[in-house]
Amino acid sequence: MKKTGLAVFVLAAVMSLGAVGVTAFAATGWAQEGNNWVYYNNNGSKVTNAWRQAQDGTWRYLESSGAMAADKWVDNDDYYVDSSGIMITNKWLQVANSRKASGYDWYYFGTNGKCLKEKWAQIDGQYRYFGDTGAMETGWILDNMYYCDDSGVMVTGWKKLTPPEEYQDEDTHTGPFETASDGQYWYYFGTNGKKVVPNENGTNVKQKKINGTYYCLREDGAVQTGWVCVTGDESDSIEDYRLVDTDGKVRTGWYSAEPPEYLASHYDHDVEWFYFNSKGVPEVGPAKGSAKTSDLKRINGYTHLFNEYGTPVYGIQKVYTSSNGNEYTAYYFGNYPQSSMLTGKYNITEGGVSWPYYFNSTGKGYTGVYDNCLYYMGKLQKADSGSKYEVFTIPTGNSYKNYVVNTSGKIAKNTTVKDSNGVKYKTNSSGILVKEDDESVAGGDYRSPEEPEWDND
């Protein structure tokens, strides 16, 4: 490609080549012919398409006509000679841009005078890239993996930029991307200038750790914000999502936010609490009603149970306590603002009625006698209001115990009482039935205890 330059000037006398007007073939070396300088070999032929050195040590180029070139590109457009015909070395040169209607390109010529092409070069401590024509490149280069600023300097670290052209139209790629309001996104370039992008092919968004912090990157490396699905497409699993701050950092710890739009129908509230681990993955648990004690999570001094959509549950929850999955009890996680395991006594509303509960120090709904009252899975067991007394059969492992309880839930200890039908019950010091109507009780199948009303919806 031909490149243009400034006007050619007459070669100055500094060449010290001898007297002006030397006749052709008069001597070997430089000679002036009219307004041009030429060079003759010792056989008297004029040198063409070659370099020759002057007495001052500088190099000049003889064109196909034999005339010395000045202020133009020469020798396959790899070199440039100034207005005195001298080869440019170790310096920058701004040349009119022949590829556009206006403007200039910058070129750099090395020690040997050759224009740098298709390579990185460190000049004055800064890296720049020179393309196939030798022009210094700016903007996105080399398959959009590097970026050079308006001065041509290779960018490193964080930089907010307009995306490469193919990513400027949101319709050209898929994924739940949050469009930047100003059309620019943050990108990160390593110390070698290479842009950080997801490692895996075939997906659009991935999580990347940069300087100890996790970020979510689009396939071109643009940092995403808001809820981002790291699989690149919408997902039915909240674990595939990350919540990214406006500064691009993946959220960790507790945070309240509107759920991902794709999953919004699974949540009870417009804004929910989520807990994100050190990698930004939302904490999740099993579906309500199938949790085990191993699913309980201790966070910042509080115990929580998460559902499959990443929110901490609240209310009365069924939790399995045995490895075989047959035994379970109630845990209480308070109301919605609390959503953490509670212990001790509470009055919990069931069907519009306040009902006493007791949860031991581990959070389990207590089964047995506490403060002279009978509980099952934490719920107080009471005789019906018209019965005066009832016998409750409480399972204990592979056996059971029969307790005599009044309408307040108090057990009848070491005494004999009658229910409203006149049936007589005699109990021992633990409140366990030993005789019914003066007949010893060897077994019996009495009223089953009431389970809690589970908050499993």
Side-chain angles (χ1 to χ4, degrees), residues 303-315:
T303 300
H304 303 272
L305 178 64
F306 293 85
N307 62 23
E308 70 270 41
Y309 292 104
T311 56
V313 300
Y314 55 95

Side-chain angles (χ1 to χ4, degrees), residues 207-226:
Q207 191 169 329
K208 198 77 173 178
K209 194 173 187 179
I210 302 173
N211 297 333
T213 300
Y214 283 98
Y215 297 85
C216 285
L217 306 181
R218 194 172 63 185
E219 56 188 317
D220 70 321
V223 170
Q224 300 299 289
T225 59

Side-chain angles (χ1 to χ4, degrees), residues 128-150:
R128 292 175 170 84
Y129 187 79
F130 299 87
D132 56 359
T133 67
M136 181 190 73
E137 300 281 355
T138 60
W140 291 103
I141 63 171
L142 299 177
D143 296 326
N144 299 321
M145 289 302 295
Y146 298 84
Y147 191 90
C148 295
D149 64 18
D150 291 342

Side-chain angles (χ1 to χ4, degrees), residues 254 297-304 338-342:
W254 285 106
K297 302 294 180 182
R298 189 77 171 169
I299 301 173
N300 300 333
Y302 296 91
T303 300
H304 303 272
Q338 293 169 314
S339 298
S340 60
M341 188 187 78
L342 301 177

Side-chain angles (χ1 to χ4, degrees), residues 359-410:
F359 303 91
N360 67 16
S361 59
T362 66
K364 290 182 179 180
Y366 189 76
T367 294
V369 177
Y370 180 78
D371 281 349
N372 290 322
C373 292
L374 181 65
Y375 294 89
Y376 182 67
M377 297 187 185
K379 184 174 184 177
L380 181 68
Q381 304 298 304
K382 299 188 291 185
D384 290 340
S385 57
S387 299
K388 296 180 64 176
Y389 289 94
E390 283 190 79
V391 180
F392 285 83
T393 300
I394 305 297
T396 56
N398 294 325
S399 61
Y400 58 86
K401 293 180 180 179
N402 295 317
Y403 290 91
V404 180
V405 181
N406 67 13
T407 55
S408 298
K410 292 284 186 181

